[in-house]
Amino acid sequence: MKLYDAAASGNCHKVRMLLSMLGIEHDVVPINLPEMEQKAPAHLSLNPLGTVPVLQDGDVTIYDSQAILVYLAEKNGSDSWLPTDPVGRALVQQWLSFAVNELWNGPAIARAKLRFNRDVDLPRAQALAATVLSVMDARLADHEWLAIDRPTIADLACYPYSALSEEGEISLAPYPALRAWFKRVEALPGYVGMPGLGN
Ligand SMILES: N[C@@H](CCC(=O)N[C@@H](CS)C(=O)NCC(=O)O)C(=O)O
């Protein structure tokens, strides 16, 4: 298996965490985003959107971090990371969608401006982030994990960009339940950190 990866990418980090937690051997192919390697023909032939992460498993190629998490969880052969019952499956999907839309457009976009100078509307992203983090904090005030009563790929999908919020100058001080959940994610067996996150 090969992961096309960028070290500073929270989307790639979701996949790095699950590969490690599942103990799946793989090669990492670094893609240099500042050098625009993701838009070179070789990478576009894997992912026409020109983004990372991309996972290659034999003749299977998958892009989008959420899709990769689903693939790895299913391939692992048990429902430990992705429940099979209708309610559990739908609740996981709800948070996967939240990761792509709300978390991306809020804290991730604010970070992209302040860390990578992306041309985005910072005040709008920071305002959205406050709403998004409040929603997570309220959910986690009386639930240990986001989707169901055990960790799933929903937690891995939502962790990086919420935990990296301060790189987008969004304070995490008002969200104690969220901060307690970061610690629970970071204590999962096989957890790996990245600059700005965990250990
Ligand atoms: N929805 C996609 C988003 C992928 C994405 O935008 N990745 C960023 C890195 S976090 C990227 O490759 N940016 C480079 C670019 O857009 O040129 C996912 O979850 O994988």
Side-chain angles (χ1 to χ4, degrees), residues 9 11 33 38-39 50-53 64-66 104 161:
S9 158
N11 284 320
L33 300 184
Q38 72 279 21
K39 307 296 188 208
T51 57
V52 289
D64 184 84
S65 52
Q66 287 58 231
W104 178 260
Y161 289 118

Side-chain angles (χ1 to χ4, degrees), residues 9-91:
S9 158
N11 284 320
C12 292
H13 192 60
K14 302 170 192 177
V15 179
R16 292 192 291 261
M17 286 192 291
L18 187 58
L19 284 167
S20 170
M21 289 172 182
L22 293 174
I24 296 175
E25 276 191 31
H26 61 282
D27 296 321
V28 172
V29 183
I31 299 294
N32 188 327
L33 300 184
E35 295 289 328
M36 300 302 281
E37 211 183 326
Q38 72 279 21
K39 307 296 188 208
H43 193 76
L44 290 173
S45 72
L46 300 173
N47 173 3
L49 294 175
T51 57
V52 289
V54 176
L55 187 82
Q56 236 180 358
D57 183 19
D59 55 8
V60 173
T61 303
I62 303 174
Y63 54 84
D64 184 84
S65 52
Q66 287 58 231
I68 297 170
L69 293 178
V70 168
Y71 175 73
L72 291 172
E74 291 272 10
K75 202 180 172 200
N76 182 47
S78 81
D79 74 349
S80 58
W81 286 97
L82 181 57
T84 51
D85 67 286
V87 174
R89 182 63 71 110
L91 289 174

Side-chain angles (χ1 to χ4, degrees), residues 61-187:
T61 303
I62 303 174
Y63 54 84
D64 184 84
S65 52
Q66 287 58 231
I68 297 170
L69 293 178
V70 168
Y71 175 73
L72 291 172
E74 291 272 10
K75 202 180 172 200
N76 182 47
S78 81
D79 74 349
S80 58
W81 286 97
L82 181 57
T84 51
D85 67 286
V87 174
R89 182 63 71 110
L91 289 174
V92 168
Q93 181 57 55
Q94 173 189 289
W95 289 103
L96 296 182
S97 300
F98 185 91
V100 184
N101 183 8
E102 283 82 3
L103 273 169
W104 178 260
N105 287 309
I109 285 291
R111 173 177 181 258
K113 170 71 184 172
L114 292 168
R115 273 218 51 194
F116 308 112
N117 202 25
R118 284 274 293 269
D119 183 17
V120 294
D121 183 341
L122 180 63
R124 185 174 176 279
Q126 287 173 327
L128 176 60
T131 305
V132 166
L133 298 176
S134 300
V135 167
M136 291 180 77
D137 193 64
R139 170 73 181 171
L140 291 163
D142 54 6
H143 293 82
E144 238 183 305
W145 304 100
L146 281 175
I148 57 172
D149 59 0
R150 56 188 168 81
T152 65
I153 56 172
D155 297 285
L156 302 187
C158 291
Y159 166 78
Y161 289 118
S162 54
L164 286 166
S165 289
E166 285 177 343
E167 293 193 358
E169 292 180 3
I170 299 149
S171 171
L172 288 167
Y175 313 113
L178 188 62
R179 286 185 279 112
W181 170 76
F182 296 156
K183 297 280 173 243
R184 288 195 287 282
V185 173
E186 288 157 16

